[in-house]
Amino acid sequence: MLNAQIKKEFRTNGRVTFALDSRFVVEQGITVLFGPSGSGKTTILRSIAGIVVPDEGRIELGDRVYFDSATGTNVPIQRRRIGFVFQDYLLFPHLTAAQNVAYGIGSATPKGRHDRAIELLDLLGIAYASDRRPHQLSGGEQQRVALARALGSDPAILLLDEPLAALDAATRLRLLGEIVDLQRKSKIPFLYVTHSSADAVQAGDSALILDAGRIVQEGKPAEVLGAPRDSAVS
């Protein structure tokens, strides 16, 4: 279980341009972060991953504290055991699919990393493309490789920042189902950012609705999106 309290201000020329102030809990399953652009969804993911350092707060996963402003704790990114799938996937263009996945696998021999990479690609139904480079893959295939690479680090939680945004509707629908299946197999919590209410209802076990840096509603996706109490939900 992830417990997070995050406060972060962004300033331009000394003036506060955005302030995030959120407190939430992520259980098992898929928790959807939903809200308009600029509401703080990506900042939350980046704070959990350690890319953004909060001004105040505490972030803990299970019995491990990643960040605590009160004690000065700030665990480095590479030691957080967090998988992150970005919207544009960020695959290495000069590496094959298998090499991209193997890059994130630690503490193993080269053969062990390769074998584990193939295993993960097979889990996502894309082992056939293990020797292809990113420019030889479709958008959906690239997304699967990015998911496999994120899982290669044996994460304790997986963060997904609009990973389906650039895909066509049919591919989105198919891969969203695969993400749900992947969460059930991996048995780790997923925190999933989306602008799509349909994606939120189909994939989410729970939803956190953000607006202007604050969580304004939470609950089952179908319930909060079907009976919104805030304009950010509609």
Side-chain angles (χ1 to χ4, degrees):
M1 181 172 63
L2 174 77
N3 280 283
Q5 179 183 0
I6 304 169
K7 291 186 178 182
K8 179 68 177 179
E9 289 185 347
F10 293 89
R11 296 174 178 267
T12 300
N13 298 324
R15 182 175 63 89
V16 175
T17 55
F18 177 75
L20 175 69
D21 186 355
S22 64
R23 181 195 296 264
F24 59 92
V25 174
V26 172
E27 304 278 1
Q28 280 291 337
I30 298 177
T31 299
V32 172
L33 281 175
F34 184 87
S37 296
S39 59
K41 303 184 298 298
T42 294
T43 300
I44 285 177
L45 293 194
R46 290 175 176 264
S47 297
I48 295 169
I51 300 169
V52 168
V53 179
D55 299 325
E56 296 180 39
R58 180 180 173 93
I59 302 170
E60 59 183 344
L61 183 62
D63 59 0
R64 186 159 189 219
V65 178
Y66 289 150
F67 176 83
D68 189 344
S69 58
T71 61
T73 301
N74 187 21
V75 176
I77 296 172
Q78 64 272 18
R79 290 175 47 205
R80 293 199 180 197
R81 282 192 61 209
I82 289 176
F84 204 134
V85 180
F86 297 87
Q87 183 175 336
D88 55 4
Y89 313 139
L90 298 181
L91 300 177
F92 297 113
H94 62 292
L95 299 182
T96 66
Q99 289 169 337
N100 263 283
V101 177
Y103 182 85
I105 300 172
S107 63
T109 64
K111 184 180 185 305
R113 288 194 294 273
H114 176 77
D115 290 348
R116 177 58 175 158
I118 297 300
E119 180 182 335
L120 288 167
L121 290 170
D122 186 53
L123 175 68
L124 288 157
I126 196 176
Y128 64 84
S130 61
D131 292 329
R132 299 180 191 173
R133 288 178 168 77
H135 74 275
Q136 298 171 307
L137 302 172
S138 69
E141 289 169 337
Q142 289 182 32
Q143 194 256 13
R144 289 187 180 94
V145 173
L147 282 168
R149 185 177 63 181
L151 290 174
S153 61
D154 188 27
I157 188 171
L158 187 62
L159 312 178
L160 301 104
D161 192 1
E162 297 194 79
L164 308 182
L167 303 177
D168 63 83
T171 304
R172 281 175 65 96
L173 184 63
R174 183 173 68 254
L175 292 182
L176 191 62
E178 292 182 5
I179 287 174
V180 173
D181 289 342
L182 183 60
Q183 192 284 318
R184 305 304 187 249
K185 292 175 182 176
S186 67
K187 299 180 181 179
I188 62 173
F190 284 18
L191 192 54
Y192 187 101
V193 166
T194 182
H195 278 102
S196 168
S197 58
D199 286 3
V201 171
Q202 181 179 342
D205 297 296
S206 60
L208 302 172
I209 312 302
L210 275 93
D211 189 25
R214 295 178 180 272
I215 294 172
V216 295
Q217 198 169 348
E218 56 186 295
K220 296 291 185 182
E223 295 174 2
V224 297
L225 294 171
R229 298 197 304 264
D230 190 276
S231 61
V233 183
S234 57

